[in-house]
Amino acid sequence: MSPHVSDRLSEYMDGALGVQDVERVRAHLDTCPACLQEYRGLQDVQQLLRGLPAPHPREGFMERTHWRLAREAAAQPARARFLSGLREAFAVRPFRVALVAGALVVVALPIVWMTGSMGPREVPLDSDAYVRHYVMLSVDRPLADEATSTFVSSDLPEQPIR
Amino acid sequence: MAEAVSSLVLGGMTVSPDAAEPRTAHRLAAFEELVLRHQSQIYRVAYRLAGNHDDAEDLAQEAIIEAFRAFDRYQPGTYFDRWLFRIMSRTYIDTVRRRNRRPTVSLDAPMGPDRDPLVTVMGDSKGDPQQMTEAVDLDGTVQAALDRLPEEFRTAVVLADIEGLPYDEVANVLRCPVGTVRSRLHRARQMLREALGPHLGGRRGSR
Ligand SMILES: [Zn+2]
């Protein structure tokens, strides 16, 4: 192991090291000009960042944000109605499921053919595979934004931050 | 069949719009109050991530809209700004990746600072050195250096050094282990030290 403490310096600076490591780093800095110089550089960077002035939003920022939010809020009940309708249709009876699965296959087939990333025998037949396929598609193809947008919004934090 | 279609189209009609609207209006008001209270932190992070006012406004608004969609999952009494940063950092990284797909470099691979390919890339893409020295605006110079960091590194350093979040909170926002935050933060600072060399060395802290 290198005697230098370069990779511990940020943690040392942030007070994120245990007592023993602190002692080791401090002792090393007393004797090693190279590490000391790097440490001072890191301190300078941090001070520079901390000293940056707070940027002010452009005038009307909150107002524009308000209008976008209001538009979103207006769209939400309709979206919720549509989704609950969809859920109901999904929830019951095999023939409805067959209907939806049929629609999925119709939608998914050309995509599978176009991307060529899956053979025709691996046509996704269930909704899980369909979603998985879209995720893979979006990883491969940045232009498929639309396909992922619903997925992204469903992938928001469930765990609140303290 | 007809039944299925009608329940698709009319399913929600059982919920009267009149019952739904006030609830939404209520939520919106509560949400906007929180946004208003935290707007300067929200905008500051958006600006330091995006690098300019146009993109900062877009990023902040997109994150705010996403947060509103997920507002049911926010727990009152917890840090609203950190919850929103979590959404914003995801939005930001997604946007950057969509816009320019960079070759995959394993960002978190342990590597010495001297052999760090990213530092080398940074050095190469520094642009016109004269332009750098001519930049009288230190804020602009620092922001330009931030802009050249890979997005995961920039996010870590903005949250830790500009917002002042502790490591575990940064990890929480970025959904990664604390160890990853440590190494990203350290390497981000090293890259900034390289990039900002001539502008450093004013005030010195103590050991
Ligand atoms: Zn040393």
Side-chain angles (χ1 to χ4, degrees), chain B residues 41-52:
Chain B
Q41 296 98 294
I42 294 170
Y43 193 79
R44 180 167 60 208
V45 172
Y47 181 82
R48 293 303 170 193
L49 290 179
N52 63 69

Side-chain angles (χ1 to χ4, degrees), chain B residues 23-39:
Chain B
R23 205 185 85 86
T24 308
H26 219 83
R27 279 184 49 191
L28 181 59
F31 180 79
E32 281 202 284
E33 197 192 313
L34 285 165
V35 171
L36 211 61
R37 201 183 303 160
H38 296 280
Q39 60 164 317

Side-chain angles (χ1 to χ4, degrees), chain A residues 12-127:
Chain A
Y12 177 71
M13 181 166 80
D14 294 331
L17 285 179
V19 184
Q20 280 193 334
D21 284 329
V22 168
E23 286 309 318
R24 189 170 64 87
V25 171
R26 188 176 290 150
H28 183 83
L29 288 178
D30 281 339
T31 60
C32 178
C35 284
L36 183 59
Q37 195 193 2
E38 183 176 352
Y39 179 58
R40 295 208 160 135
L42 293 174
Q43 281 184 317
D44 290 339
V45 166
Q46 191 175 55
Q47 290 206 20
L48 211 55
L49 291 171
R50 284 181 178 167
L52 286 178
H56 290 290
R58 281 187 304 213
E59 210 176 315
F61 166 68
M62 274 312 292
E63 204 181 323
R64 288 188 292 279
T65 306
H66 169 78
W67 288 117
R68 282 188 68 173
L69 274 172
R71 219 178 311 145
E72 172 64 25
Q76 273 189 356
R79 191 198 315 259
R81 272 200 299 278
F82 177 73
L83 286 178
S84 76
L86 211 61
R87 255 194 302 277
E88 275 172 43
F90 256 118
V92 255
R93 282 177 217 166
F95 78 91
R96 294 185 183 176
V97 175
L99 173 77
V100 177
L104 288 182
V105 171
V106 168
V107 174
L109 252 176
I111 294 168
V112 169
W113 282 107
M114 280 189 310
T115 60
S117 63
M118 281 174 144
R121 281 179 201 156
E122 298 168 77
V123 171
L125 284 170
D126 58 307
S127 60

Side-chain angles (χ1 to χ4, degrees), chain B residues 156-168:
Chain B
V157 87
V158 165
L159 292 171
D161 284 340
I162 294 178
E163 265 333 284
L165 300 194
Y167 286 14
D168 57 340

Side-chain angles (χ1 to χ4, degrees), chain B residues 23-204:
Chain B
R23 205 185 85 86
T24 308
H26 219 83
R27 279 184 49 191
L28 181 59
F31 180 79
E32 281 202 284
E33 197 192 313
L34 285 165
V35 171
L36 211 61
R37 201 183 303 160
H38 296 280
Q39 60 164 317
S40 44
Q41 296 98 294
I42 294 170
Y43 193 79
R44 180 167 60 208
V45 172
Y47 181 82
R48 293 303 170 193
L49 290 179
N52 63 69
H53 285 290
D54 275 341
D55 292 339
E57 181 158 333
D58 273 352
L59 174 60
Q61 286 182 344
E62 258 162 57
I64 288 169
I65 301 281
E66 282 295 315
F68 181 57
R69 286 182 188 143
F71 192 39
D72 287 337
R73 279 176 266 173
Y74 167 72
Q75 279 193 352
T78 59
Y79 284 108
F80 180 75
D81 50 353
R82 293 177 186 183
W83 182 72
L84 204 135
F85 293 157
R86 206 170 182 201
I87 294 167
M88 188 189 289
S89 65
R90 170 67 62 92
T91 309
Y92 163 70
I93 287 173
D94 284 351
T95 311
V96 173
R97 288 202 181 139
R98 232 174 277 151
R99 209 182 297 158
N100 61 324
R101 327 222 72 228
R102 48 177 90 240
T104 2
V105 182
S106 175
L107 295 177
D108 300 314
M111 228 181 293
D114 304 330
R115 282 146 282 136
D116 193 332
L118 287 165
V119 172
T120 318
V121 169
M122 288 267 300
D124 289 348
S125 64
K126 221 176 254 185
D128 186 2
Q130 197 158 357
Q131 209 181 331
M132 290 288 287
T133 47
E134 276 170 8
V136 274
D137 179 11
L138 187 60
D139 185 354
T141 309
V142 176
Q143 185 62 49
L146 278 173
D147 290 348
R148 288 194 301 273
L149 293 180
E151 53 273 11
E152 289 90 346
F153 288 53
R154 194 187 321 178
T155 315
V157 87
V158 165
L159 292 171
D161 284 340
I162 294 178
E163 265 333 284
L165 300 194
Y167 286 14
D168 57 340
E169 288 295 345
V170 177
N172 206 342
V173 169
L174 297 181
R175 299 157 219 244
C176 67
V178 174
T180 307
V181 170
R182 287 169 195 253
S183 64
R184 282 184 188 170
L185 193 53
H186 183 54
R187 292 177 64 197
R189 287 168 178 163
Q190 282 177 321
M191 291 180 210
L192 290 173
R193 190 173 69 98
E194 295 267 313
L196 294 169
H199 303 277
L200 298 175
R203 313 128 294 183
R204 288 256 141 97

